[in-house]
Amino acid sequence: MQQPEGTNAPAQDGTEDGTRDDARMIRALWAEMARGWAAGDAALFATSFAEDCDFTTVRGDKPHGRAGIAAGHDALFHGPYAGTVLDARVVAVRFLRPDLATVEAESTITAPDGQPLTTTHALAVVERTAEGHWLISAFHNMIPAPRPAQQAPDPKGSTVVEPTAARPKLRHLAIVARDPEKLAEFYSSVFAMELFHRDPDGSCFLSDGYLSLALIKHQLDGETPVGFNHFGFHIEDTAATTEALVAAGTPKPAERFTNRPFAEYRAMDPEGNWFDLSEHGFGGPRPPSDSTGS
C-alpha cells in the first residue's frame, strides 16, 4: 500500500520512519548542544532538553530537568572540561509515532589541543511539542565497556558456557606515570593497545578490548609514588560485593569523588592494597568477539 505523502515514508538520511523535516529538527538538537558546549554556555546547551527531562549521566547521576542539566554542565565548562569541544553525532533516529522517536547518538569530547578525551554513547527519547518543536524528554549517557565473551571452546572442541551469575572480573590496572603520553605511545605501538580517553591533566586510558590500563599523570607536589597504583573489578552488584567485603573484615567501600567516570567505588584488601569497583565497567573498545553482533 502506498504511504500518504509526508507521513511515515522511509527517509533517505538514515532514519527508519518519519519525515525529512522532523529528522532534520531532531538532529539539530545535537548540533545545538555542540554549539553550547563550544561556547561554554550551559544554558544554550540545555535548550535541547525538555523542562522535566529525565537525564542520566555516565556516572549514574540524575540532575533534575533542564535546570539541573544546565547547572551540571556549567560546572563542567568551568572545571575539568573548560575549553573543550563536543562533536555530537546522531547515529539513528527511529520514529515510534509521528510525535515520538528514539535517538542513538555518539559524542566525542576534544581537548583544546585537539586531543580526544572521551567518547560516549547515548540513547534518547525525543517528543514533538504542541508548538511543533522537538525536545529531548529522556537521555541516558554511557561509556561503552568491554563485555566478556559468554562462550569459549575447550580443548576437546565442545563449548563451555559461563554461569549466569558471573563472578567479578579483573578488568583494570592503573600506573602512576611521569609522562603518560609517552608511555601510552609505547603500549600502543608495541602491544597495539587502543587509547580511548585522555584526562585534561594528560592522564591516558588504554584498552586491549578486555582490560583497561590507566596511566595516571604524576603530580610533582603529590606523595603518590610512580609505578603500579591500583587495580579494578567489574562487578554485577555493588551491594552484594560490599556485604562480602565487610563480612571479610575490610572497610566498607567508599564512593569515588572524581571526574573520571570509570569506577564508582574504591575499596582495599586486608593488606591495604587499593582496588576499584565498577558495575558499568572501565571503558574502552569491546572485545573483537562483540563487534560481530553476536
mmCIF file with all atom_site columns, all heavy atoms in Angstrom, residues 124-137:
data_model
loop_
_atom_site.group_PDB
_atom_site.id
_atom_site.type_symbol
_atom_site.label_atom_id
_atom_site.label_alt_id
_atom_site.label_comp_id
_atom_site.label_asym_id
_atom_site.label_entity_id
_atom_site.label_seq_id
_atom_site.pdbx_PDB_ins_code
_atom_site.Cartn_x
_atom_site.Cartn_y
_atom_site.Cartn_z
_atom_site.occupancy
_atom_site.B_iso_or_equiv
_atom_site.pdbx_formal_charge
_atom_site.auth_seq_id
_atom_site.auth_comp_id
_atom_site.auth_asym_id
_atom_site.auth_atom_id
_atom_site.pdbx_PDB_model_num
ATOM 1   N N   . ALA A 1 124 ? 18.326 8.349  23.582 1.00 0.00 ? 124 ALA A N   1
ATOM 2   C CA  . ALA A 1 124 ? 17.440 9.440  23.973 1.00 0.00 ? 124 ALA A CA  1
ATOM 3   C C   . ALA A 1 124 ? 16.036 9.216  23.430 1.00 0.00 ? 124 ALA A C   1
ATOM 4   O O   . ALA A 1 124 ? 15.840 8.543  22.408 1.00 0.00 ? 124 ALA A O   1
ATOM 5   C CB  . ALA A 1 124 ? 17.982 10.775 23.468 1.00 0.00 ? 124 ALA A CB  1
ATOM 6   N N   . VAL A 1 125 ? 15.074 9.801  24.128 1.00 0.00 ? 125 VAL A N   1
ATOM 7   C CA  . VAL A 1 125 ? 13.687 9.848  23.664 1.00 0.00 ? 125 VAL A CA  1
ATOM 8   C C   . VAL A 1 125 ? 13.366 11.311 23.375 1.00 0.00 ? 125 VAL A C   1
ATOM 9   O O   . VAL A 1 125 ? 13.622 12.180 24.217 1.00 0.00 ? 125 VAL A O   1
ATOM 10  C CB  . VAL A 1 125 ? 12.716 9.303  24.727 1.00 0.00 ? 125 VAL A CB  1
ATOM 11  C CG1 . VAL A 1 125 ? 11.263 9.459  24.264 1.00 0.00 ? 125 VAL A CG1 1
ATOM 12  C CG2 . VAL A 1 125 ? 13.021 7.841  25.029 1.00 0.00 ? 125 VAL A CG2 1
ATOM 13  N N   . VAL A 1 126 ? 12.857 11.583 22.180 1.00 0.00 ? 126 VAL A N   1
ATOM 14  C CA  . VAL A 1 126 ? 12.504 12.952 21.804 1.00 0.00 ? 126 VAL A CA  1
ATOM 15  C C   . VAL A 1 126 ? 11.016 13.019 21.491 1.00 0.00 ? 126 VAL A C   1
ATOM 16  O O   . VAL A 1 126 ? 10.435 12.068 20.967 1.00 0.00 ? 126 VAL A O   1
ATOM 17  C CB  . VAL A 1 126 ? 13.335 13.451 20.604 1.00 0.00 ? 126 VAL A CB  1
ATOM 18  C CG1 . VAL A 1 126 ? 14.805 13.556 20.963 1.00 0.00 ? 126 VAL A CG1 1
ATOM 19  C CG2 . VAL A 1 126 ? 13.161 12.529 19.400 1.00 0.00 ? 126 VAL A CG2 1
ATOM 20  N N   . GLU A 1 127 ? 10.414 14.160 21.849 1.00 0.00 ? 127 GLU A N   1
ATOM 21  C CA  . GLU A 1 127 ? 8.982  14.355 21.622 1.00 0.00 ? 127 GLU A CA  1
ATOM 22  C C   . GLU A 1 127 ? 8.741  15.694 20.933 1.00 0.00 ? 127 GLU A C   1
ATOM 23  O O   . GLU A 1 127 ? 9.449  16.665 21.180 1.00 0.00 ? 127 GLU A O   1
ATOM 24  C CB  . GLU A 1 127 ? 8.223  14.329 22.948 1.00 0.00 ? 127 GLU A CB  1
ATOM 25  C CG  . GLU A 1 127 ? 8.239  12.986 23.649 1.00 0.00 ? 127 GLU A CG  1
ATOM 26  C CD  . GLU A 1 127 ? 7.390  12.992 24.912 1.00 0.00 ? 127 GLU A CD  1
ATOM 27  O OE1 . GLU A 1 127 ? 7.933  13.350 25.979 1.00 0.00 ? 127 GLU A OE1 1
ATOM 28  O OE2 . GLU A 1 127 ? 6.194  12.668 24.829 1.00 0.00 ? 127 GLU A OE2 1
ATOM 29  N N   . ARG A 1 128 ? 7.710  15.726 20.096 1.00 0.00 ? 128 ARG A N   1
ATOM 30  C CA  . ARG A 1 128 ? 7.328  16.969 19.445 1.00 0.00 ? 128 ARG A CA  1
ATOM 31  C C   . ARG A 1 128 ? 6.297  17.687 20.308 1.00 0.00 ? 128 ARG A C   1
ATOM 32  O O   . ARG A 1 128 ? 5.300  17.094 20.720 1.00 0.00 ? 128 ARG A O   1
ATOM 33  C CB  . ARG A 1 128 ? 6.749  16.694 18.046 1.00 0.00 ? 128 ARG A CB  1
ATOM 34  C CG  . ARG A 1 128 ? 6.490  17.961 17.233 1.00 0.00 ? 128 ARG A CG  1
ATOM 35  C CD  . ARG A 1 128 ? 6.266  17.665 15.771 1.00 0.00 ? 128 ARG A CD  1
ATOM 36  N NE  . ARG A 1 128 ? 5.207  16.681 15.576 1.00 0.00 ? 128 ARG A NE  1
ATOM 37  C CZ  . ARG A 1 128 ? 4.986  16.065 14.420 1.00 0.00 ? 128 ARG A CZ  1
ATOM 38  N NH1 . ARG A 1 128 ? 5.774  16.288 13.383 1.00 0.00 ? 128 ARG A NH1 1
ATOM 39  N NH2 . ARG A 1 128 ? 4.006  15.191 14.306 1.00 0.00 ? 128 ARG A NH2 1
ATOM 40  N N   . THR A 1 129 ? 6.544  18.956 20.574 1.00 0.00 ? 129 THR A N   1
ATOM 41  C CA  . THR A 1 129 ? 5.651  19.737 21.415 1.00 0.00 ? 129 THR A CA  1
ATOM 42  C C   . THR A 1 129 ? 4.421  20.176 20.630 1.00 0.00 ? 129 THR A C   1
ATOM 43  O O   . THR A 1 129 ? 4.348  20.031 19.405 1.00 0.00 ? 129 THR A O   1
ATOM 44  C CB  . THR A 1 129 ? 6.374  20.979 21.955 1.00 0.00 ? 129 THR A CB  1
ATOM 45  O OG1 . THR A 1 129 ? 6.651  21.867 20.848 1.00 0.00 ? 129 THR A OG1 1
ATOM 46  C CG2 . THR A 1 129 ? 7.680  20.601 22.637 1.00 0.00 ? 129 THR A CG2 1
ATOM 47  N N   . ALA A 1 130 ? 3.463  20.745 21.361 1.00 0.00 ? 130 ALA A N   1
ATOM 48  C CA  . ALA A 1 130 ? 2.245  21.243 20.714 1.00 0.00 ? 130 ALA A CA  1
ATOM 49  C C   . ALA A 1 130 ? 2.561  22.348 19.715 1.00 0.00 ? 130 ALA A C   1
ATOM 50  O O   . ALA A 1 130 ? 1.814  22.556 18.751 1.00 0.00 ? 130 ALA A O   1
ATOM 51  C CB  . ALA A 1 130 ? 1.270  21.743 21.777 1.00 0.00 ? 130 ALA A CB  1
ATOM 52  N N   . GLU A 1 131 ? 3.682  23.053 19.932 1.00 0.00 ? 131 GLU A N   1
ATOM 53  C CA  . GLU A 1 131 ? 4.083  24.132 19.025 1.00 0.00 ? 131 GLU A CA  1
ATOM 54  C C   . GLU A 1 131 ? 4.839  23.624 17.810 1.00 0.00 ? 131 GLU A C   1
ATOM 55  O O   . GLU A 1 131 ? 5.227  24.399 16.937 1.00 0.00 ? 131 GLU A O   1
ATOM 56  C CB  . GLU A 1 131 ? 4.955  25.151 19.771 1.00 0.00 ? 131 GLU A CB  1
ATOM 57  C CG  . GLU A 1 131 ? 4.234  25.919 20.879 1.00 0.00 ? 131 GLU A CG  1
ATOM 58  C CD  . GLU A 1 131 ? 4.070  25.077 22.138 1.00 0.00 ? 131 GLU A CD  1
ATOM 59  O OE1 . GLU A 1 131 ? 4.818  24.074 22.282 1.00 0.00 ? 131 GLU A OE1 1
ATOM 60  O OE2 . GLU A 1 131 ? 3.199  25.407 22.962 1.00 0.00 ? 131 GLU A OE2 1
ATOM 61  N N   . GLY A 1 132 ? 5.099  22.305 17.763 1.00 0.00 ? 132 GLY A N   1
ATOM 62  C CA  . GLY A 1 132 ? 5.785  21.733 16.617 1.00 0.00 ? 132 GLY A CA  1
ATOM 63  C C   . GLY A 1 132 ? 7.283  21.613 16.767 1.00 0.00 ? 132 GLY A C   1
ATOM 64  O O   . GLY A 1 132 ? 7.982  21.233 15.815 1.00 0.00 ? 132 GLY A O   1
ATOM 65  N N   . HIS A 1 133 ? 7.832  21.940 17.971 1.00 0.00 ? 133 HIS A N   1
ATOM 66  C CA  . HIS A 1 133 ? 9.270  21.801 18.209 1.00 0.00 ? 133 HIS A CA  1
ATOM 67  C C   . HIS A 1 133 ? 9.568  20.420 18.793 1.00 0.00 ? 133 HIS A C   1
ATOM 68  O O   . HIS A 1 133 ? 8.736  19.816 19.454 1.00 0.00 ? 133 HIS A O   1
ATOM 69  C CB  . HIS A 1 133 ? 9.750  22.882 19.191 1.00 0.00 ? 133 HIS A CB  1
ATOM 70  C CG  . HIS A 1 133 ? 9.410  24.273 18.770 1.00 0.00 ? 133 HIS A CG  1
ATOM 71  N ND1 . HIS A 1 133 ? 9.873  24.834 17.607 1.00 0.00 ? 133 HIS A ND1 1
ATOM 72  C CD2 . HIS A 1 133 ? 8.626  25.221 19.369 1.00 0.00 ? 133 HIS A CD2 1
ATOM 73  C CE1 . HIS A 1 133 ? 9.416  26.061 17.486 1.00 0.00 ? 133 HIS A CE1 1
ATOM 74  N NE2 . HIS A 1 133 ? 8.642  26.324 18.536 1.00 0.00 ? 133 HIS A NE2 1
ATOM 75  N N   . TRP A 1 134 ? 10.764 19.936 18.535 1.00 0.00 ? 134 TRP A N   1
ATOM 76  C CA  . TRP A 1 134 ? 11.216 18.677 19.123 1.00 0.00 ? 134 TRP A CA  1
ATOM 77  C C   . TRP A 1 134 ? 12.121 18.975 20.314 1.00 0.00 ? 134 TRP A C   1
ATOM 78  O O   . TRP A 1 134 ? 12.964 19.867 20.256 1.00 0.00 ? 134 TRP A O   1
ATOM 79  C CB  . TRP A 1 134 ? 11.964 17.845 18.099 1.00 0.00 ? 134 TRP A CB  1
ATOM 80  C CG  . TRP A 1 134 ? 11.078 17.236 17.062 1.00 0.00 ? 134 TRP A CG  1
ATOM 81  C CD1 . TRP A 1 134 ? 10.697 17.788 15.878 1.00 0.00 ? 134 TRP A CD1 1
ATOM 82  C CD2 . TRP A 1 134 ? 10.455 15.956 17.134 1.00 0.00 ? 134 TRP A CD2 1
ATOM 83  N NE1 . TRP A 1 134 ? 9.871  16.938 15.193 1.00 0.00 ? 134 TRP A NE1 1
ATOM 84  C CE2 . TRP A 1 134 ? 9.702  15.794 15.939 1.00 0.00 ? 134 TRP A CE2 1
ATOM 85  C CE3 . TRP A 1 134 ? 10.441 14.928 18.079 1.00 0.00 ? 134 TRP A CE3 1
ATOM 86  C CZ2 . TRP A 1 134 ? 8.958  14.647 15.679 1.00 0.00 ? 134 TRP A CZ2 1
ATOM 87  C CZ3 . TRP A 1 134 ? 9.705  13.780 17.815 1.00 0.00 ? 134 TRP A CZ3 1
ATOM 88  C CH2 . TRP A 1 134 ? 8.972  13.644 16.626 1.00 0.00 ? 134 TRP A CH2 1
ATOM 89  N N   . LEU A 1 135 ? 11.965 18.230 21.411 1.00 0.00 ? 135 LEU A N   1
ATOM 90  C CA  . LEU A 1 135 ? 12.807 18.357 22.597 1.00 0.00 ? 135 LEU A CA  1
ATOM 91  C C   . LEU A 1 135 ? 13.136 16.966 23.132 1.00 0.00 ? 135 LEU A C   1
ATOM 92  O O   . LEU A 1 135 ? 12.364 16.016 22.952 1.00 0.00 ? 135 LEU A O   1
ATOM 93  C CB  . LEU A 1 135 ? 12.111 19.178 23.694 1.00 0.00 ? 135 LEU A CB  1
ATOM 94  C CG  . LEU A 1 135 ? 11.929 20.673 23.436 1.00 0.00 ? 135 LEU A CG  1
ATOM 95  C CD1 . LEU A 1 135 ? 11.072 21.298 24.533 1.00 0.00 ? 135 LEU A CD1 1
ATOM 96  C CD2 . LEU A 1 135 ? 13.285 21.381 23.363 1.00 0.00 ? 135 LEU A CD2 1
ATOM 97  N N   . ILE A 1 136 ? 14.267 16.864 23.803 1.00 0.00 ? 136 ILE A N   1
ATOM 98  C CA  . ILE A 1 136 ? 14.689 15.586 24.392 1.00 0.00 ? 136 ILE A CA  1
ATOM 99  C C   . ILE A 1 136 ? 13.994 15.431 25.743 1.00 0.00 ? 136 ILE A C   1
ATOM 100 O O   . ILE A 1 136 ? 14.187 16.245 26.648 1.00 0.00 ? 136 ILE A O   1
ATOM 101 C CB  . ILE A 1 136 ? 16.213 15.541 24.572 1.00 0.00 ? 136 ILE A CB  1
ATOM 102 C CG1 . ILE A 1 136 ? 16.907 15.730 23.225 1.00 0.00 ? 136 ILE A CG1 1
ATOM 103 C CG2 . ILE A 1 136 ? 16.643 14.223 25.214 1.00 0.00 ? 136 ILE A CG2 1
ATOM 104 C CD1 . ILE A 1 136 ? 18.413 15.945 23.337 1.00 0.00 ? 136 ILE A CD1 1
ATOM 105 N N   . SER A 1 137 ? 13.196 14.377 25.888 1.00 0.00 ? 137 SER A N   1
ATOM 106 C CA  . SER A 1 137 ? 12.472 14.162 27.144 1.00 0.00 ? 137 SER A CA  1
ATOM 107 C C   . SER A 1 137 ? 13.163 13.151 28.054 1.00 0.00 ? 137 SER A C   1
ATOM 108 O O   . SER A 1 137 ? 12.904 13.110 29.258 1.00 0.00 ? 137 SER A O   1
ATOM 109 C CB  . SER A 1 137 ? 11.038 13.705 26.863 1.00 0.00 ? 137 SER A CB  1
ATOM 110 O OG  . SER A 1 137 ? 11.024 12.532 26.077 1.00 0.00 ? 137 SER A OG  1
#
